[in-house]
Amino acid sequence: QVQLAESGGDLVQPGGSLRLSCAASGRTASIYTMGWYRQAPGKQRELVARITSNGNTNYADSVKGRFTISRDNAKNTVYLQMNSLKPEDTAVYYCKAVDGRLNYWGQGTQVTVSS
Protein backbone atom coordinates (compact mmCIF):
# COMPACT_ATOMS: atom_id res chain seq x y z
CA GLN A 1 0.00 0.00 0.00
CA VAL A 2 2.80 2.40 0.94
CA GLN A 3 6.48 2.01 0.20
CA LEU A 4 9.19 4.12 1.81
CA ALA A 5 12.56 4.73 0.19
CA GLU A 6 15.25 6.15 2.46
CA SER A 7 18.55 7.72 1.55
CA GLY A 8 21.23 9.98 2.96
CA GLY A 9 22.97 7.84 5.55
CA ASP A 10 26.73 8.16 5.58
CA LEU A 11 29.90 8.29 7.63
CA VAL A 12 30.41 11.76 9.06
CA GLN A 13 32.77 13.34 11.58
CA PRO A 14 31.54 14.58 14.95
CA GLY A 15 30.09 18.05 14.55
CA GLY A 16 29.16 17.39 10.96
CA SER A 17 25.78 17.35 9.27
CA LEU A 18 23.67 14.98 7.24
CA ARG A 19 20.24 15.14 5.68
CA LEU A 20 18.14 12.01 5.45
CA SER A 21 15.33 11.70 2.95
CA CYS A 22 12.37 9.35 2.85
CA ALA A 23 10.11 9.28 -0.19
CA ALA A 24 6.72 7.61 0.09
CA SER A 25 5.02 5.97 -2.85
CA GLY A 26 1.85 4.01 -3.41
CA ARG A 27 -1.30 5.03 -1.59
CA THR A 28 0.11 8.15 0.02
CA ALA A 29 -3.04 10.28 0.17
CA SER A 30 -3.98 9.14 3.67
CA ILE A 31 -0.56 9.40 5.29
CA TYR A 32 -0.88 11.63 8.32
CA THR A 33 2.20 11.18 10.46
CA MET A 34 5.72 10.55 9.26
CA GLY A 35 8.71 10.15 11.47
CA TRP A 36 12.23 8.98 11.98
CA TYR A 37 13.33 6.30 14.42
CA ARG A 38 16.78 4.96 15.10
CA GLN A 39 18.28 1.83 16.53
CA ALA A 40 21.84 1.52 17.74
CA PRO A 41 23.55 -1.82 18.40
CA GLY A 42 22.29 -3.28 21.65
CA LYS A 43 19.60 -0.64 21.97
CA GLN A 44 15.88 -0.61 21.35
CA ARG A 45 14.46 1.38 18.50
CA GLU A 46 13.60 4.89 19.62
CA LEU A 47 11.68 7.82 18.22
CA VAL A 48 13.88 10.60 16.89
CA ALA A 49 11.31 12.97 15.42
CA ARG A 50 7.85 12.97 13.92
CA ILE A 51 5.77 15.38 11.90
CA THR A 52 2.10 15.52 10.98
CA SER A 53 0.53 16.69 7.76
CA ASN A 54 -0.23 20.07 9.32
CA GLY A 55 3.36 20.55 10.43
CA ASN A 56 3.25 19.67 14.13
CA THR A 57 6.55 18.19 15.25
CA ASN A 58 7.95 16.24 18.17
CA TYR A 59 11.58 15.48 18.95
CA ALA A 60 13.45 13.24 21.29
CA ASP A 61 15.15 15.26 24.00
CA SER A 62 18.52 13.99 22.84
CA VAL A 63 18.19 15.66 19.43
CA LYS A 64 16.29 18.85 20.23
CA GLY A 65 18.08 21.87 18.87
CA ARG A 66 20.25 19.76 16.58
CA PHE A 67 17.83 17.89 14.32
CA THR A 68 14.99 19.28 12.24
CA ILE A 69 12.26 17.23 10.64
CA SER A 70 10.33 18.57 7.67
CA ARG A 71 8.12 17.26 4.93
CA ASP A 72 7.21 18.15 1.40
CA ASN A 73 3.64 16.97 0.99
CA ALA A 74 3.69 17.55 -2.76
CA LYS A 75 6.61 15.15 -3.06
CA ASN A 76 5.42 12.81 -0.30
CA THR A 77 8.87 13.13 1.21
CA VAL A 78 10.05 13.64 4.76
CA TYR A 79 13.51 14.92 5.66
CA LEU A 80 15.66 14.85 8.73
CA GLN A 81 18.34 17.53 8.87
CA MET A 82 20.94 16.47 11.39
CA ASN A 83 23.45 19.03 12.61
CA SER A 84 26.14 18.95 15.29
CA LEU A 85 26.25 15.19 15.05
CA LYS A 86 27.66 13.22 17.94
CA PRO A 87 29.05 9.68 18.08
CA GLU A 88 26.01 8.65 20.09
CA ASP A 89 23.86 9.50 17.07
CA THR A 90 25.34 6.48 15.32
CA ALA A 91 22.48 4.14 14.45
CA VAL A 92 20.35 2.77 11.69
CA TYR A 93 17.70 5.36 10.98
CA TYR A 94 14.26 4.19 9.90
CA CYS A 95 11.49 6.16 8.27
CA LYS A 96 7.92 5.50 9.42
CA ALA A 97 4.59 6.53 7.97
CA VAL A 98 1.13 6.17 9.49
CA ASP A 99 -2.04 6.40 7.44
CA GLY A 100 -4.40 6.28 10.41
CA ARG A 101 -4.66 2.51 10.55
CA LEU A 102 -1.42 0.97 9.32
CA ASN A 103 2.23 1.59 10.00
CA TYR A 104 4.79 1.50 7.23
CA TRP A 105 8.55 1.26 7.67
CA GLY A 106 11.49 1.99 5.45
CA GLN A 107 14.46 -0.31 5.12
CA GLY A 108 16.75 1.83 7.24
CA THR A 109 19.84 3.84 6.43
CA GLN A 110 23.09 3.71 8.38
CA VAL A 111 24.42 6.86 10.02
CA THR A 112 27.87 6.60 11.51
CA VAL A 113 29.44 9.51 13.39
CA SER A 114 33.12 8.92 13.98
CA SER A 115 36.45 10.62 13.61
Side-chain angles (χ1 to χ4, degrees):
Q1 290 183 292
V2 174
Q3 296 80 44
L4 303 175
E6 298 159 298
S7 63
D10 205 352
L11 172 65
V12 64
Q13 295 183 12
S17 298
L18 286 173
R19 189 178 77 158
L20 306 183
S21 299
C22 174
S25 60
R27 294 187 175 185
T28 61
S30 297
I31 293 177
Y32 177 66
T33 301
M34 298 187 73
W36 290 95
Y37 291 70
R38 67 186 181 187
Q39 187 167 22
K43 301 290 186 178
Q44 296 195 21
R45 190 172 299 185
E46 64 175 354
L47 173 69
V48 177
R50 61 162 67 96
I51 187 168
T52 64
S53 296
N54 61 8
N56 290 334
T57 60
N58 295 101
Y59 296 92
D61 288 341
S62 60
V63 307
K64 286 181 179 177
R66 299 189 298 120
F67 292 9
T68 302
I69 189 170
S70 61
R71 66 191 293 174
D72 185 337
N73 289 328
K75 295 182 177 180
N76 297 309
T77 301
V78 64
Y79 305 94
L80 185 68
Q81 179 65 47
M82 304 184 293
N83 299 325
S84 302
L85 283 162
K86 304 174 180 179
E88 50 262 44
D89 295 318
T90 296
V92 177
Y93 284 70
Y94 297 90
C95 180
K96 180 184 178 182
V98 180
D99 70 359
R101 184 174 68 89
L102 298 175
N103 299 327
Y104 304 93
W105 291 92
Q107 80 284 0
T109 184
Q110 177 70 48
V111 173
T112 302
V113 184
S114 176
S115 60

